[in-house]
Amino acid sequence: MRIGILTSGGDCPGLNAVIRGAVLKGIQIHGQEFVGFRDGWRGVVESDIVPLGRKEIQGIAKQGGTILGTSRTNPFEGNGGVERITENLERRGIDALIAIGGEGTLAAAKRLTDAGLKIVGVPKTVDNDLGATDYTFGFDTAVQIAVDAMDRLRTTGESHSRCMVAEVMGRHVGWIALHSGMAAGAHAILIPEQKTSVEQLAEWVRSAYDRGRAPLVVVAEGFVPDEEDDAHSERGLDAFGRPRLGGIGERLAPLIEELTGIETRATTLGHIQRGGTPSAYDRVLATRLGMAASDSVAEGRWGRMVALRGTEIEHVSFEEALGTLKVVPQNRYDEAAILFG
Ligand code: F6P
């Protein structure tokens, strides 16, 4: 069987480990053959393929990014669509696809599977917001990068007796903020799931400052302040028409300063969280997911995504995978909030 692999949507540390896991197991155990599509669905629509054998995957588990490239191309727009994709796959002799991506990628994969294509999915999101899997690779790395940055922010904050605001990724959910903030000893964590007033935030900051600490505030980019309806966006829309987020930290800093009189600085960590080498945890998880995807193809589990449940890799339908956003539950936030202020 000849399989095409694509990585689609925002990149994430661990993508290369998935590719390696799938190709190694596929070649060694299932006698499969692989090619890579360049830049996600763009490569599928434009039939832009690269060889993907043992040589191409040598030593890539520790490399960040994706050797195949990625894009936020929608396969149903422009020249795309079911007919064109089916034709491309037939012409290239490709029997099945392994699509590695987040919500948008899996939604497209579901539509194509419903139309008769043979696709298995691998979940990818640094935000860790897919309900059907306990953890996604890339999340652990992003949290560690954020914690390293916060440890640094704390020492400069302490030298100047300043409040430091660290903005992290997290469009719909606050997992990166919750985990990095807890690990770094933040005095306040603001996440999309929890409305928090600026007055409450100022109270936490003042209380930490009054104890002689340099307050650290961690805010997820998707946080919506109490008195507002939408997350802060000043950079237009992305290819899927979603507002590009980022900048809430810079907006909160002067408000904190105004309400508390404490000098405040904000840092947006942005794409640094998605760059560089994956952590050991993410390499292992990604490798296991890649190997399971090759098994799924061998067993013809079309329209299903590999998922981590506890410590086991399981298979869930695209419907189930797309069904629920994994938000931070109230009890997890309440537990973290005991440490605020
Ligand atoms: O979905 C993952 C994510 O990293 C979000 O946290 C963030 O809002 C978005 O992607 C950024 O996307 P882009 O790389 O297109 O700027």
Side-chain angles (χ1 to χ4, degrees):
M1 195 168 228
R2 192 163 141 94
I3 302 159
I5 301 189
L6 62 131
T7 52
S8 171
D11 76 338
C12 185
L15 283 168
N16 286 326
V18 177
I19 297 170
R20 176 175 166 274
V23 171
L24 274 184
K25 183 151 190 196
I27 292 174
Q28 282 181 197
I29 305 297
H30 301 302
Q32 296 161 341
E33 246 184 81
F34 293 85
V35 292
F37 283 104
R38 287 177 50 78
D39 304 338
W41 293 114
R42 185 197 68 73
V44 181
V45 170
E46 294 176 13
S47 198
D48 187 358
I49 65 170
V50 288
L52 203 51
R54 285 204 71 140
K55 184 169 160 288
E56 284 75 23
I57 52 135
Q58 261 170 23
I60 65 167
K62 59 183 173 305
Q63 273 175 34
T66 159
I67 58 163
L68 297 176
T70 186
S71 69
R72 292 199 190 272
T73 303
N74 183 335
F76 295 97
E77 276 175 7
N79 295 331
V82 177
E83 265 176 44
R84 165 90 183 238
I85 292 173
T86 310
E87 213 177 277
N88 286 348
L89 297 183
E90 277 173 9
R91 198 157 41 86
R92 295 284 195 182
I94 296 169
D95 307 294
L97 294 179
I98 293 179
I100 312 168
E103 220 185 327
T105 310
L106 296 173
K110 180 181 179 318
R111 246 177 104 180
L112 291 167
T113 310
D114 291 345
L117 271 74
K118 295 174 173 171
I119 309 181
V120 304
V122 179
K124 175 245 39 150
T125 144
V126 84
D127 291 355
N128 195 38
D129 60 2
L130 280 177
T133 185
D134 287 354
Y135 281 101
T136 41
F137 62 85
F139 170 67
D140 182 68
T141 308
V143 168
Q144 190 57 55
I145 293 169
V147 172
D148 290 345
M150 286 167 199
D151 289 347
R152 289 171 191 275
L153 289 174
R154 291 201 73 162
T155 66
T156 168
E158 275 155 17
S159 307
H160 290 265
S161 298
R162 285 172 175 160
C163 168
M164 303 305 278
V165 179
E167 181 186 308
V168 296
M169 280 186 167
R171 170 172 283 278
H172 305 294
V173 303
W175 286 109
I176 297 179
L178 186 85
H179 280 223
S180 60
M182 205 177 205
H187 300 98
I189 300 173
L190 307 174
I191 61 174
E193 297 89 331
Q194 294 286 334
K195 286 273 187 181
T196 310
S197 68
V198 190
E199 288 72 26
Q200 169 66 80
L201 172 60
E203 213 176 292
W204 285 326
V205 167
R206 208 178 290 115
S207 137
Y209 191 82
D210 288 348
R211 281 186 292 111
R213 308 309 309 277
L216 172 68
V217 174
V218 175
V219 58
E221 61 178 1
F223 168 70
V224 184
D226 205 11
E227 50 290 328
E228 293 180 25
D229 295 325
D230 298 306
H232 179 81
S233 171
E234 57 191 46
R235 296 168 188 168
L237 304 178
D238 69 12
F240 281 90
R242 303 176 313 175
R244 292 179 63 214
L245 303 183
I248 181 69
E250 288 288 354
R251 256 192 63 201
L252 289 174
L255 295 175
I256 295 171
E257 215 168 86
E258 198 182 301
L259 287 172
T260 62
I262 301 164
E263 198 181 2
T264 304
R265 296 284 189 271
T267 301
T268 302
L269 298 182
H271 291 80
I272 286 174
Q273 295 159 94
R274 290 203 334 224
T277 57
S279 67
Y281 177 89
D282 281 339
R283 292 182 210 184
V284 172
L285 174 58
T287 303
R288 293 182 71 206
L289 290 172
M291 293 197 294
S294 133
D295 294 340
S296 276
V297 171
E299 285 152 23
R301 289 203 189 101
W302 315 125
R304 296 179 82 76
M305 181 190 90
V306 292
L308 180 72
R309 295 270 171 85
T311 56
E312 295 304 312
I313 306 292
E314 296 186 359
H315 306 268
V316 298
S317 68
F318 284 159
E319 279 95 334
E320 190 185 341
L322 292 164
T324 40
L325 194 66
K326 188 171 62 219
V327 295
V328 172
Q330 189 65 44
N331 67 320
R332 285 295 312 273
Y333 178 79
D334 291 345
E335 178 185 76
I338 292 169
L339 310 169
F340 295 175

